[in-house]
Each structure stands twice: as structure tokens, then as C-alpha cells.
Amino acid sequence: VRMSMLPIRLNIDQDAIFFLYDFFQQLFPSQPPRSQDIVSTIEEPLHSSTSQNHTSSTIKQSSSSNQQSNVYIKSFVFYPDVPIRIDYQAKRFHSEKLSTLTGILLGLSHLDNSEVTLKAITYKHGILGWNQLSDHLVTDWMQDIRGYQLPRL
């Protein structure tokens, strides 16, 4: 798989940061679902009064979606480096939604034409699934940004 992106420019303010934070908190809750919820959703279609054909089609659909998520990616190339320019405007000090330190940093920081770069990455060894690929990409990019790029912002 080969992937490339055009440069990105983000003009964002503090209200947009809080909106995105709330949105992703609701989309990906920090606590995993309880095992009771998982068992009840699995047992519900099996104990319903519908015909056996409906149950078997549900099982076929879930097994086909399982196979799609386990795609083997032989090699992956992300090239060239992608610059991301950030313009951030702080409005006020907030510590209710975020931790105190994060609230102070977001309230006092002002990023004007700051640039971070998503480095080029090549994986020549196979990766199983899109989730593992995205996890590897995010991990590699965050290590690079935290270690080398954040200190010079």
C-alpha cells in the first residue's frame, strides 16, 4: 500500500479544541464496555423469535466483517513527509474539562504558523489489519513529534 498526503493547515481556536475533545470522548469512551453488555448483545439475536435463517445470516455477516478487519498488508509506504502548519488562538483559561496543566497550557499558549511534520514511514514487514497499521503509524509519528519536533516549537 502506498499513501501520500498534501500539506495540512489548521486554523483552530480553543472552542474548537474543546469541541473535538468532547466529540472524541463520546466516540471512543475511555472505559471499555462491560462483559455483561457484550454477552447480552450476543445472546439477544440468538434468543429472538425470528427464524433460523435470520440467525445464520447474522453470523455470516459478523464472520465476513471479521475477515475484512484482518487484511494482511504486505508492505506500507507513506511518502513524502507531510508538513502540518498550526495556527492556534487561546481565548481563556479552562481547567474544568481537561487537567489543570493542560488547561493552563491551552489557555496561555499561542501558536502562530507552528509546524510539525509527519515523517515518511516504510513498513517492509507484514502488518495484519488496518487497526494495527494505524496504531503503528500513530505511535511512530507521536514518538517523532514528542522527541524531536515539540522542543523546537
Side-chain angles (χ1 to χ4, degrees), residues 1 3 76-81 118-124 127 133 136-142 144:
V1 175
M3 183 178 169
F76 179 82
V77 176
F78 181 85
Y79 182 82
D81 292 348
L118 298 179
K119 68 177 183 172
I121 295 178
T122 302
Y123 298 122
K124 293 184 180 180
I127 297 176
L133 176 65
H136 285 297
L137 287 172
V138 168
T139 301
D140 288 348
W141 284 331
M142 290 307 292
D144 180 58

Side-chain angles (χ1 to χ4, degrees), residues 29-152:
S30 60
Q31 295 181 358
R34 296 176 295 161
S35 60
Q36 287 177 308
D37 298 336
I38 295 171
V39 170
S40 66
T41 57
I42 291 172
E43 290 177 351
E44 186 176 299
L46 296 176
H47 291 100
S48 66
S49 62
T50 58
S51 66
Q52 177 110 8
N53 292 338
H54 176 68
T55 305
S56 63
S57 68
T58 305
I59 293 171
K60 285 179 186 177
Q61 287 174 355
S62 65
S63 67
S64 67
S65 66
N66 238 355
Q67 290 173 352
Q68 290 175 355
S69 66
N70 290 331
V71 173
Y72 180 73
I73 302 167
K74 186 176 180 180
S75 67
F76 179 82
V77 176
F78 181 85
Y79 182 82
D81 292 348
V82 176
I84 299 175
R85 289 218 169 111
I86 303 168
D87 293 324
Y88 172 73
Q89 299 294 320
K91 290 184 174 182
R92 60 196 166 279
F93 173 74
H94 251 313
S95 65
E96 293 120 22
K97 294 184 180 184
L98 306 170
S99 68
T100 305
L101 179 62
T102 307
I104 291 171
L105 289 175
L106 284 176
L108 297 176
S109 62
H110 181 76
L111 302 175
D112 210 14
N113 206 19
S114 301
E115 185 174 320
V116 294
T117 304
L118 298 179
K119 68 177 183 172
I121 295 178
T122 302
Y123 298 122
K124 293 184 180 180
H125 305 292
I127 297 176
L128 185 61
W130 296 107
N131 289 339
Q132 272 192 338
L133 176 65
S134 64
D135 290 344
H136 285 297
L137 287 172
V138 168
T139 301
D140 288 348
W141 284 331
M142 290 307 292
Q143 285 176 352
D144 180 58
I145 289 170
R146 284 185 190 134
Y148 302 109
Q149 298 179 38
L150 211 55
R152 59 185 170 106

